[in-house]
Amino acid sequence: MKKRIFSGAQPTGSLHIGNYLGALKNWVSLQNEFESFFCIVNLHAITLPQDPQILKQKTLDLARIYLASGIDPEVSTIFIQSDVSEHAELAWVLNCIARMGELERMTQFKDKSKGKTERVGAGLLTYPVLMASDILLYQTDLVPIGQDQKQHLELTRDVAERFNRDFGETFKIPEAFIPPVGAKIQSLAEPAKKMSKSDENLNGSIFLLDDADTITKKMKKAVTDSGTEITFDNSRPAINNLLTIYQLMTGKTAEECEANFAGKGYGHFKTETAEAVIEYLRPFQDRVKNYTGEELKIILKNGAEKAKTIARETLNDVYEKMGIVGAIN
Ligand code: TYM
């Protein structure tokens, strides 16, 4: 029996190379070794206000991006979170297990609600519980994510362990898969911050669908550090970040990357890095246009049906263990 992986992304904003290098790229390389579930988490998206028409469109666009990245629907299960209502049901149950204190300690909640806790929806606080439900429903072994989701995975493990202790062995305790390189791609404009879909400064992110001109311009504008060395050095976050992007886009070793730029200037370095990104994204960008709405619907419907069978089994077990018994079934 293959072990299972589960991961997902929100259909909000535009996906950037951070999402790709931190997560999607690894989903693709792990999908043959594991039984894989990749979810479009549209219920997570509404923890912040969304335009309904745009959310609808972005949900299908994200399915296109998953497929164009190389996720093979013959091998992996791709589905939309809201199609499998068990996610929302288990989230309610786990909301009664998770503790306010542990949710309030989540750094993402603290960042997003800073100074406005009276005005943000309660869903922003309980967001990691829905994420825990996503993962635990599938008895997941491994969760490939970027660094920013690590704390949510730790909470998932804590909630699962608490449930197992109180109600008996029910959930598998999942492990995070965080890539050694690329788990936290930083903003090109403000290298102290992570590259983020919600960043208002569009020059900070290279989006997967940016054209060659835009990529070149953004790379030219990228902030650099003082000094001239082009080496991997954590104390020089801007150059370190660009070199990491170059490394992942070319598949070279760290030593080869440093040797390639020895004695060269920042101008040359930025041009070559922009070219590497453009070349890397080209086949992806060609593929993304290929899928018709009809094809997507079939893939997503099949995915949801497969996911639902497994999710229901786990949820039934949870209800049984907790004494949640209705009159109909
Ligand atoms: P989301 O949609 O914000 O991001 C999708 C994936 O991209 C990773 N990521 C990054 N990796 C490297 N550098 C960056 N700058 C960067 N920015 C984002 C994220 O870590 C993530 O892996 N809560 C999740 C979605 C989710 C989920 C799940 C993930 C819901 N349920 C269950 C795994 C399992 C999120 O908002 O990802």
Side-chain angles (χ1 to χ4, degrees):
M1 274 268 279
K2 279 185 178 175
K3 289 192 167 183
R4 272 195 195 141
I5 56 176
F6 183 99
S7 201
Q10 296 190 59
T12 51
S14 300
L15 257 69
H16 50 67
I17 57 171
N19 299 121
Y20 179 76
L21 299 173
L24 269 75
K25 186 170 186 272
N26 304 311
W27 303 359
V28 174
S29 58
L30 292 167
Q31 69 179 335
N32 288 308
E33 192 187 330
F34 290 85
E35 190 188 355
S36 310
F37 294 83
F38 300 118
C39 189
I40 296 162
V41 294
N42 57 349
L43 296 174
H44 276 102
I46 57 168
T47 51
L48 291 173
Q50 303 296 335
D51 176 303
Q53 285 310 324
I54 296 177
L55 179 59
K56 232 187 224 180
Q57 182 58 45
K58 294 264 175 198
T59 302
L60 285 186
D61 285 350
L62 189 52
R64 277 195 182 85
I65 286 177
Y66 283 8
L67 294 167
S69 298
I71 293 167
D72 179 353
E74 301 287 324
V75 173
S76 303
T77 304
I78 305 175
F79 69 103
I80 302 173
Q81 190 182 31
S82 62
D83 273 335
V84 182
S85 56
E86 285 76 5
H87 289 241
E89 281 187 72
L90 182 61
W92 172 255
V93 171
L94 296 184
N95 269 330
C96 301
I97 307 287
R99 310 224 160 109
M100 286 291 284
E102 59 192 355
L103 295 176
E104 280 166 352
R105 278 196 296 278
M106 294 290 113
T107 50
Q108 202 165 77
F109 171 70
K110 286 198 272 187
D111 289 347
K112 291 194 174 166
S113 64
K114 211 178 206 156
K116 47 182 181 189
T117 39
E118 284 298 319
R119 279 176 290 127
V120 297
L124 201 61
L125 178 70
T126 58
Y127 174 116
V129 179
L130 179 58
M131 179 161 162
S133 307
D134 297 341
I135 297 165
L136 298 175
L137 275 174
Y138 299 92
Q139 307 293 354
T140 302
D141 295 283
L142 202 65
V143 186
I145 41 175
Q147 182 70 32
D148 63 342
Q149 297 300 319
K150 185 167 179 258
Q151 199 185 27
H152 292 161
L153 204 271
E154 280 158 10
L155 178 96
T156 301
R157 291 168 57 90
D158 290 346
V159 169
E161 275 164 7
R162 192 173 306 144
F163 189 98
N164 287 351
R165 192 193 57 218
D166 292 349
F167 297 98
E169 233 12 72
T170 308
F171 297 120
K172 185 165 269 180
I173 308 299
E175 302 279 343
F177 175 94
I178 297 178
V181 182
K184 194 169 180 218
I185 299 294
Q186 305 293 81
S187 156
L188 302 189
E190 291 169 82
K193 285 185 5 191
K194 70 166 183 178
M195 191 176 282
S196 164
K197 280 188 250 169
S198 52
D199 195 342
E200 280 165 19
N201 184 351
L202 298 181
N203 285 325
S205 306
I206 294 180
F207 299 108
L208 296 180
L209 297 175
D210 275 350
D211 60 26
D213 265 6
T214 310
I215 295 174
T216 307
K217 278 191 197 129
K218 286 181 177 174
M219 200 55 88
K220 272 198 183 136
K221 282 201 191 128
V223 167
T224 49
D225 303 296
S226 57
T228 54
E229 294 282 288
I230 301 169
T231 51
F232 286 100
D233 176 356
N234 285 330
S235 68
R236 297 169 71 239
I239 296 300
N240 201 65
N241 189 42
L242 295 180
L243 205 50
T244 300
I245 294 171
Y246 178 82
Q247 181 185 0
L248 289 165
M249 294 291 171
T250 57
K252 291 183 177 158
T253 64
E255 293 71 30
E256 285 168 341
C257 294
E258 290 181 345
N260 190 55
F261 295 116
K264 305 248 171 74
Y266 284 166
H268 174 94
F269 171 45
K270 286 177 167 185
T271 308
E272 216 178 297
T273 303
E275 277 164 13
V277 176
I278 293 165
E279 279 316 303
Y280 192 93
L281 292 181
R282 197 189 307 278
F284 162 82
Q285 294 184 347
D286 288 343
R287 278 197 300 269
V288 94
K289 304 174 208 122
N290 282 349
Y291 311 97
T292 64
E294 264 324 291
E295 272 174 298
L296 293 179
K297 289 240 164 84
I298 294 171
I299 291 170
L300 293 168
K301 188 165 173 285
N302 289 341
E305 279 165 5
K306 171 148 188 233
K308 196 171 178 72
T309 313
I310 300 167
R312 193 74 229 171
E313 209 176 297
T314 305
L315 189 67
N316 283 344
D317 187 28
V318 166
Y319 280 167
E320 178 66 32
K321 291 211 168 92
M322 295 184 91
I324 306 283
V325 184
I328 297 174
N329 294 314

